[in-house]
Each structure stands twice: as structure tokens, then as C-alpha cells.
Amino acid sequence: MTNLTDFITYEDLAIGQKFTAGPQKVTEEDIIAFGKQYDPQDFHTDPVKAKDTVFGELVASGWHTACLAMRMIVQASPHMKGGMVGRAVENINWPLPVRPDDSLSLAVEITELRTSEKSPERGLMRTKNTVTNQNSEIVMEMDAIVFVPRRMA
Amino acid sequence: MTNLTDFITYEDLAIGQKFTAGPQKVTEEDIIAFGKQYDPQDFHTDPVKAKDTVFGELVASGWHTACLAMRMIVQASPHMKGGMVGRAVENINWPLPVRPDDSLSLAVEITELRTSEKSPERGLMRTKNTVTNQNSEIVMEMDAIVFVPRRMA
């Protein structure tokens, strides 16, 4: 297990490296605020009305979970600030809902690294990202393809 | 072009159906507020510091664009409230950045529909989602797999 803050440029990375971030607590207030702003459906905005929905309770928007994962990544990697730019994301899954007072953690593993002649100033890193709750249950998985600056000559 | 508000259940949907949502204006204030909360990197939070980053200017977090797309979908589909639940998302791409005062629109096309014996109360809809700016440039693409309630006997 390596601390992400050790990673400065593409040259410091290797396939198989893992790091973790969090925990990140999610409150009912957080869930409702996000829901009202970006995903205004009863199961994300109203604990009472949520009882009559498919979830039967208030749950976080899947996009909220994705955004919290992004915050954990950034907070865990101050030395990459200014340089970590998402190119694409693949295969986001939400196997279980996030509920009020859940505490989320993020595990990241580097699964691919590549450079291109077209953009010699940066490389591409593919990561497998797994968000779990306080019971170690997976609530979100995704593959992210991220630009990483290379050490310039 | 069909209005999404006409779609009530799985039985009303067909492959090839298209709908649109938006426009959704994005202000500098919106970009900074989202960036500070979920993606605190200089190019999303500080117009001055952003000049020294790879973007050279303030741009919206890609997750912000995804969240605005979700809001446009929900706002355009009041009759599906309580029933539109994301199962997964595949292949998010951000070919161009979103800038302050951009006006975003969403185009959705249904590309796959299926039911399962295991969950007879709902079907699955796959959609191709394209977000464009006021110049008709694509700023985000993604495939979403969404649960849709079926008409019960």
C-alpha cells in the first residue's frame, strides 16, 4: 500500500499500485442537499415520500457517491493538484445504495499505464476504483482513465 | 422527437426514440461552488490560479457536467419520478471542457430495451446521452442503463 501523496508524476506510477482514501461520512442533510440540486427524485430528497418508492427509504444519488469519490481522490493527492484530469470513465456500477450516516472509503488500483507520442507531456493511467461503506460492502465501482503529467526534461 | 413526459412505463418506450432536455446555463459561480465541494482542483475553483494549469482557464468538473445532465433528465420527466433508477453507466467521455456561461443541452436516444424474469416489475433501458454546448459542440457523452417500471397487471 502506497500513499498517493508520494505520486508526483507518471514516472512514479506502476501497474498494481494501490492506495486508499477516506473515510467520508454522508449525512441525511448531505443526501437531500445533493438530491435537490442535481437528482430531484423523492428517494433522494424526502425521507417520508421515499418510503413509497422502490428504495423504501432515503438513499444517496449515485452521482453523489461518484462526486464523493472524486473528493476523496483529490483530498488524498495534494501533490497531483493541477495535474489530475479525467479523460473518461467506464463501467460505473452501484450494487448497493448509500444511506444516511454511511461512511465511505475509496480503494484505487492502477491497472494500466501508457504514454503517447502525440502528447509527450503527459501519460494516461487507468484505475479500478471501489467505494465501500462501513460494513465493507461495495456501493460503487468504476474504471477511470486519467491524464498524469510526465516529468519534463 | 417525442416528449419524455409522455413516457410513463416500460411499455411506452421503443428503441430509437429520442428526446431532448435543457438548456441548462452554467455560471462561473456554479462551477466554483461545485469544484470546492466535490473536485477541489485549481482549474475548477480559482479563475486566476486556473491560468497556470493545463486548461489555462476555469472549467467545470466533468462530474459537474454529469450532474447537470442528470438534473436535465429528471426535470424533463416528471411522470417517471419515483421510478427512474440508474443501474450502471458506461463510457463517459468529456471531449471538450465546459466553461463559465456555457449553455448545455442533452439529447437522449434509447438504444436497448430488455426485461427479465427475475424482476418482472421493471425493465431495463439503455440510452445514449449526449451533452452539447451553445455551439453544438459535444462536451460529454455517456451510455446509461436505467431501470424503468413496467405496467403491472
Side-chain angles (χ1 to χ4, degrees):
Chain A
M1 192 69 66
T2 311
N3 191 322
L4 184 63
T5 58
D6 296 336
F7 302 162
I8 308 297
T9 68
Y10 182 86
E11 289 72 17
D12 300 311
L13 305 174
I15 291 173
Q17 280 176 333
K18 297 176 184 178
F19 62 90
T20 58
Q24 171 70 56
K25 183 86 174 285
V26 188
T27 67
E28 179 176 294
E29 187 183 0
D30 295 335
I31 290 174
I32 294 172
F34 185 98
K36 284 184 174 173
Q37 195 161 11
Y38 296 115
D39 196 346
Q41 305 192 71
D42 286 345
F43 39 70
H44 299 322
T45 60
D46 189 320
V48 176
K49 290 183 182 173
K51 291 178 183 171
D52 294 324
T53 68
V54 63
F55 289 108
E57 61 183 331
L58 187 82
V59 299
S61 168
W63 297 107
H64 191 184
T65 307
C67 290
L68 292 171
M70 186 68 214
R71 182 161 76 189
M72 284 190 276
I73 291 174
V74 173
Q75 287 176 338
S77 56
H79 295 299
M80 295 181 80
K81 271 188 185 176
M84 195 144 65
V85 177
R87 168 69 187 82
V89 167
E90 297 176 353
N91 308 320
I92 307 184
N93 270 281
W94 296 279
L96 283 175
V98 170
R99 298 181 174 87
D101 299 324
D102 275 359
S103 187
L104 305 181
S105 297
L106 175 73
V108 181
E109 179 174 0
I110 298 176
T111 56
E112 185 183 340
L113 288 166
R114 60 191 150 97
T115 58
S116 77
E117 292 188 8
K118 191 180 160 196
S119 301
E121 77 287 2
R122 64 189 183 189
L124 273 177
M125 160 175 79
R126 179 187 291 264
T127 58
K128 171 79 178 168
N129 299 264
T130 307
V131 181
T132 50
N133 63 21
Q134 64 282 359
N135 302 318
S136 301
E137 297 166 318
I138 296 174
V139 294
M140 194 182 98
E141 296 176 293
M142 71 171 179
D143 295 323
I145 297 104
V146 179
F147 290 117
V148 184
R150 291 178 72 181
R151 202 166 291 149
M152 302 305 281
Chain B
M1 194 65 69
T2 310
N3 192 321
L4 184 62
T5 58
D6 296 336
F7 302 161
I8 308 296
T9 69
Y10 183 86
E11 288 73 15
D12 300 312
L13 305 173
I15 292 173
Q17 281 176 332
K18 297 176 184 178
F19 61 89
T20 59
Q24 171 72 56
K25 183 86 175 283
V26 189
T27 68
E28 179 177 293
E29 187 184 1
D30 295 334
I31 290 173
I32 293 172
F34 186 98
K36 284 185 175 172
Q37 193 160 13
Y38 297 114
D39 197 348
Q41 305 192 73
D42 286 346
F43 39 70
H44 299 320
T45 60
D46 189 318
V48 175
K49 290 184 181 172
K51 291 177 184 171
D52 294 325
T53 68
V54 62
F55 289 107
E57 62 183 329
L58 187 81
V59 300
S61 167
W63 297 108
H64 192 185
T65 308
C67 290
L68 292 172
M70 185 68 214
R71 181 160 77 189
M72 284 191 274
I73 291 174
V74 174
Q75 287 175 338
S77 56
H79 295 299
M80 294 180 79
K81 271 189 183 172
M84 196 144 68
V85 177
R87 169 70 187 82
V89 166
E90 297 176 352
N91 309 319
I92 307 184
N93 271 281
W94 296 279
L96 283 175
V98 170
R99 299 181 174 88
D101 299 323
D102 275 0
S103 187
L104 305 181
S105 297
L106 175 73
V108 181
E109 178 174 359
I110 298 176
T111 56
E112 185 183 340
L113 288 166
R114 59 189 151 100
T115 58
S116 77
E117 291 187 9
K118 193 180 159 196
S119 301
E121 76 286 1
R122 63 191 184 188
L124 274 176
M125 160 175 81
R126 179 187 292 265
T127 58
K128 172 79 179 168
N129 299 265
T130 307
V131 180
T132 50
N133 63 20
Q134 65 283 356
N135 302 318
S136 301
E137 298 166 318
I138 295 174
V139 295
M140 192 183 99
E141 295 175 294
M142 72 170 178
D143 294 321
I145 296 103
V146 179
F147 289 118
V148 184
R150 293 178 71 182
R151 201 166 291 148
M152 302 306 279

